[in-house]
Amino acid sequence: MKTHRFVLAAALPFVLAACASTPSPDKKAAYAAEARTASGELIKRLVGELNDDIAKIGAHGAIGVCKDKAPVIAGEIAKKHGVGIKRVTFKNRNEKRSTPDAWEADALRALEKQLASGGDPAKLEHYDIVTGGDGKPYFRYTKGLVIGGLCMNCHGPKDSLSDAVKAKLATEYPNDQATGYQLHQFRGAISITRPL
Ligand code: HEC
């Protein structure tokens, strides 16, 4: 009995070391839960600001929410959760900010497939633990975004947009690819990266 206990105690540090280098499924679920919370906060705040500004000054006036306020709000949430947050899509309005990297491109395809095969539009997510270009481990998470009624004000078919929105988009985003969407269509994702 004594020998048995000794063996266990001697093995314990090795078991713990193994756990530290390969995050357990529980850890992965916990990272996903936090990323879900962070992306939910971003969506809630953006939609809130968009609705407020559209009511006050119209959709053309709310374009600044997506352009200037979205990165600031994302920055605040990123800091709070200790992660990086951005938005990515294949059809972008701002190619400097929202062009997907290779992992994000795969994730976008996976999310689009989930939606096409009947997945709940509010629950599209794809995540994994990956090794970054720097050789370090990262938890990466994407939350799919689907076009709703609010989004149609600025991402709907061109002939359905107000003249003021069209004019503002033409000056601010001459290479805009993010119009022409239909309701319930897949739009892109919130992408969260957490260094481990
Ligand atoms: C008031 C106009 C407006 C509304 C309403 C709006 N957007 Fe946008 N959206 C924009 C603008 C402007 C940008 C470009 C932001 C930038 O410069 O980074 C953008 C960018 C995005 C991006 C980043 C990718 C890209 O194309 O650069 C996503 C994703 C997105 N919008 C999704 C949505 C969704 C989903 C909704 C509805 C919940 C929505 N938007 C509602 C104006 C709007």
Side-chain angles (χ1 to χ4, degrees):
M1 194 64 203
K2 251 186 184 153
T3 340
H4 187 53
R5 221 180 276 147
F6 171 75
V7 169
L8 258 188
L12 203 58
F14 298 102
V15 174
L16 290 178
C19 287
S21 59
T22 325
S24 66
D26 281 0
K27 268 265 163 77
K28 200 167 161 183
Y31 297 146
E34 183 157 25
R36 200 171 295 132
T37 305
S39 58
E41 283 173 17
L42 178 60
I43 293 171
K44 198 167 159 214
R45 285 193 56 192
L46 274 183
V47 168
E49 298 263 358
L50 281 170
N51 277 323
D52 280 0
D53 279 14
I54 288 176
K56 269 189 242 149
I57 30 181
H60 65 288
I63 284 175
V65 171
C66 260
K67 185 171 187 228
D68 304 318
K69 285 193 196 166
V72 175
I73 296 172
E76 286 170 16
I77 296 172
K79 207 167 153 197
K80 179 174 155 196
H81 293 275
V83 296
I85 303 190
K86 58 186 293 214
R87 295 186 298 177
V88 290
T89 178
F90 287 128
K91 284 174 60 181
N92 48 39
R93 178 156 284 169
N94 190 331
E95 77 266 21
K96 285 199 205 90
R97 281 183 187 155
S98 53
T99 301
D101 65 20
W103 186 85
E104 287 164 334
D106 282 347
L108 285 171
R109 282 186 281 269
L111 294 167
E112 205 162 6
K113 222 166 152 187
Q114 285 177 23
L115 182 67
S117 53
D120 181 343
K123 292 191 178 149
L124 307 175
E125 57 177 19
H126 178 82
Y127 54 85
D128 208 353
I129 289 172
V130 300
T131 303
D134 55 4
K136 294 183 180 154
Y138 291 89
F139 174 74
R140 301 201 65 179
Y141 173 96
T142 42
K143 157 96 188 144
L145 299 171
V146 175
I147 293 285
L150 169 68
C151 324
M152 293 295 279
N153 284 296
C154 303
H155 295 293
K158 266 219 169 117
D159 56 9
S160 73
L161 304 177
S162 76
D163 288 342
V165 166
K166 268 188 277 194
K168 183 102 181 163
L169 290 177
T171 36
E172 301 267 351
Y173 301 98
N175 302 319
D176 187 16
Q177 299 180 61
T179 57
Y181 281 94
Q182 304 293 335
L183 263 186
H184 312 308
Q185 201 179 333
F186 183 72
R187 168 72 177 101
I190 293 174
S191 173
I192 295 185
T193 303
R194 181 197 177 104
L196 297 180

